[in-house]
């Protein structure tokens, strides 16, 4: 019997795909660091039963119109706002993502940004490199404490809870806002549910971990930043579009809030001319939340496992519900 065929939109290591080669005919975009061109994706998708894609691909209506054989889309990310899930489901295509395997790694990065912004780590390193370190002095690059402060987590999903666990180790008070209450987090992590206004007003660190949906687009806007303390630090490791970037820029420029640590942007990749890069009180990272070697390999394996399950007539491991 002919093997089912899949397309992977990025070159991934041979040892990751090797175990699946006996079951699946695998084609792959040839480059590891550059996304597949749109016209090639539109052509490839016509012929495959499964698509393994990244958040750099927009799997939209136009793409899906071409996908008459497609049965499964495995997105190598926990977020799936790059996929038109409703249209895919209407066509009977199963969509999967990669939750769990990236939770701790992404929470590590979120907490790295909390610490690096509070203690001005990037600025301090640049300070030495620029030859500015002439003397030690009491307030040279003095930042904010992290321990015993209040962290406000917006989006208490798996990653939110993992951030809360880290915050708890630092003796922080934990506030959270979420669509629904998380009794377990309240019980185990002593996290307190707060409405958005209270969270914004009382938190020293506001951490965005909400997925991008119609409801969360520009959730953080002018008024939101206005409600935060002027010493507050804003961290975003979810999706750039949940923030009104112009409003954030103004809030940082006018010191309405103290600093920001951003792993994600409204339009990625950003270039060196992005206004936020002109501000000293911002740390910008190129969307590396889940970027540890082990986790990225686990994400790849989970995508292949999901595809293998579906093409074998079994339930996917991590379907997007
Ligand atoms: C995700 O999984 O959604 C991240 O943003 C990519 O690592």
């Amino acid at each position: 019997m002919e093997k089912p065929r899949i397309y992977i939109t990025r070159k991934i290591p041979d040892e990751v795909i090797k175990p699946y080669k006996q079951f699946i005919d695998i084609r792959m975009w040839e480059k590891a660091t550059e996304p597949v061109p749109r016209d090639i994706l539109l052509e490839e998708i016509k012929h495959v039963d499964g698509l393994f894609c990244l958040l750099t691909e927009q799997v939209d209506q136009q793409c899906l119109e071409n996908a008459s054989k497609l049965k499964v889309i495995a997105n190598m990310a926990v977020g799936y706002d790059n996929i038109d899930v409703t249209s895919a489901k209407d066509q009977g295509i199963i969509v999967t993502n990669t939750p769990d395997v990236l939770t701790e790694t992404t929470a590590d990065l979120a907490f790295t940004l909390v610490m690096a912004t509070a203690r001005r780590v990037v600025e301090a390193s640049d300070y030495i490199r620029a030859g500015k370190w002439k003397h030690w002095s009491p307030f040279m690059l003095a930042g904010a404490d992290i321990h015993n402060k209040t962290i406000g987590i917006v989006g208490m999903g798996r990653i939110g809870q993992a951030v809360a666990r880290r915050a708890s180790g630092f003796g922080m008070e934990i506030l959270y806002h979420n669509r629904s209450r998380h009794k377990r987090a309240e019980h185990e992590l002593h996290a307190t549910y707060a409405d958005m206004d209270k969270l914004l007003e009382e938190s020293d660190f506001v951490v965005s971990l909400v997925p991008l949906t119609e409801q969360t687009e520009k959730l953080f806007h002018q008024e939101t930043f206005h409600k935060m303390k002027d010493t507050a630090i804003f961290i975003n490791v979810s999706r750039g579009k949940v923030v009104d970037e112009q409003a954030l820029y103004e809030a940082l420029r006018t010191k309405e809030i103290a600093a920001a640590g951003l792993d994600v942007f409204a339009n990625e990749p950003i270039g060196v001319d992005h206004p936020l890069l002109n501000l000293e009180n911002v740390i910008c990272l190129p969307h590396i939340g889940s970027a540890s070697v082990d986790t990225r390999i686990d994400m790849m394996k989970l995508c292949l496992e999901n595809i293998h399950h579906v093409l074998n007539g079994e339930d996917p491991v991590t379907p997007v519900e």
Side-chain angles (χ1 to χ4, degrees):
M1 209 177 69
E2 212 178 298
K3 287 192 276 191
R5 197 163 160 187
I6 72 164
Y7 189 67
I8 306 179
T9 61
R10 203 63 72 93
K11 184 167 171 43
I12 65 170
D14 270 342
E15 56 276 21
V16 178
I17 57 173
K18 206 168 158 204
Y20 296 91
K21 278 185 167 168
Q22 52 177 315
F23 312 110
I24 306 170
D25 179 5
I26 302 175
R27 282 171 62 82
M28 202 157 61
W29 170 234
E30 65 206 36
K31 297 185 179 167
T33 55
E34 277 173 44
V36 61
R38 177 82 179 169
D39 56 332
I40 295 184
L41 174 62
L42 290 178
E43 182 54 36
E44 290 288 346
I45 204 169
K46 288 181 188 163
H47 313 288
V48 294
D49 304 280
L51 179 73
F52 174 143
C53 62
L54 278 56
L55 48 77
T56 41
E57 282 80 55
Q58 290 302 317
V59 184
D60 52 16
Q61 198 106 50
Q62 186 199 22
C63 225
L64 292 167
E65 272 164 17
N66 278 11
S68 56
K69 289 176 69 188
L70 197 65
K71 297 171 191 64
V72 55
I73 302 169
N75 200 37
M76 191 186 142
V78 66
Y80 44 84
D81 46 280
N82 57 315
I83 297 178
D84 181 347
V85 176
T86 311
S87 301
K89 283 189 177 168
D90 287 349
Q91 278 180 232
I93 300 167
I94 291 172
V95 179
T96 68
N97 64 344
T98 57
D100 302 319
V101 290
L102 50 63
T103 299
E104 301 299 331
T105 302
T106 309
D108 283 348
L109 197 272
F111 219 77
T112 301
L113 279 175
V114 165
M115 298 181 72
T117 43
R119 298 300 304 271
R120 303 172 61 183
V121 169
V122 175
E123 216 184 317
S125 170
D126 289 348
Y127 188 81
I128 298 187
R129 288 170 193 271
K132 291 184 186 166
W133 190 22
K134 304 292 183 210
H135 315 280
W136 185 93
S137 46
F139 291 110
M140 180 187 75
L141 292 157
D145 278 328
I146 301 146
H147 64 274
N148 298 349
K149 293 291 182 79
T150 300
I151 190 166
I153 298 173
V154 183
M156 198 58 146
R158 299 174 182 85
I159 302 172
Q161 289 168 59
V163 170
R165 282 197 294 278
R166 285 155 179 75
S168 155
F170 276 73
M172 298 179 93
E173 186 181 335
I174 303 164
L175 300 179
Y176 79 95
H177 184 74
N178 199 57
R179 272 179 315 178
S180 54
R181 294 280 288 262
H182 262 281
K183 294 289 179 197
R184 218 183 68 200
E186 292 179 20
H187 184 67
E188 288 173 11
L189 301 165
H190 306 292
T192 306
Y193 177 82
D195 64 31
M196 196 65 175
D197 281 356
K198 181 177 156 75
L199 181 144
L200 296 171
E201 283 158 17
E202 294 187 8
S203 299
D204 299 299
F205 298 89
V206 175
V207 183
S208 164
L209 286 162
V210 284
L212 175 64
T213 63
E214 274 173 24
Q215 290 72 40
T216 61
E217 190 162 354
K218 295 199 177 167
L219 176 69
F220 297 92
H221 49 81
Q222 194 184 15
E223 265 303 287
T224 331
F225 296 119
H226 191 61
K227 286 179 183 152
M228 292 182 197
K229 297 179 182 181
D230 58 8
T231 50
I233 294 180
F234 176 70
I235 305 293
N236 188 9
V237 277
S238 58
R239 285 292 180 271
K241 287 197 166 80
V242 305
V243 177
D244 178 341
E245 275 181 0
Q246 181 60 32
L248 174 62
Y249 174 80
E250 283 307 322
L252 288 161
R253 190 183 64 81
T254 58
K255 304 270 167 39
E256 198 165 24
I257 65 170
L262 308 170
D263 184 42
V264 286
F265 300 88
N267 294 303
E268 297 176 1
I270 61 167
V272 286
D273 53 351
H274 194 289
L276 283 164
L277 294 173
N278 293 327
L279 301 173
E280 268 189 347
N281 51 347
V282 186
I283 294 181
C284 295
L285 301 178
H287 202 149
I288 55 167
S290 60
S292 74
V293 174
D294 289 348
T295 291
R296 286 286 160 86
I297 287 175
D298 286 346
M299 291 163 74
M300 289 170 184
K301 286 181 177 167
L302 182 53
C303 286
L304 288 165
E305 209 43 33
N306 271 313
I307 289 175
H308 184 46
H309 273 237
V310 174
L311 298 184
N312 225 7
E314 294 159 24
D315 287 339
V317 191
T318 50
V320 167
E321 304 291 356

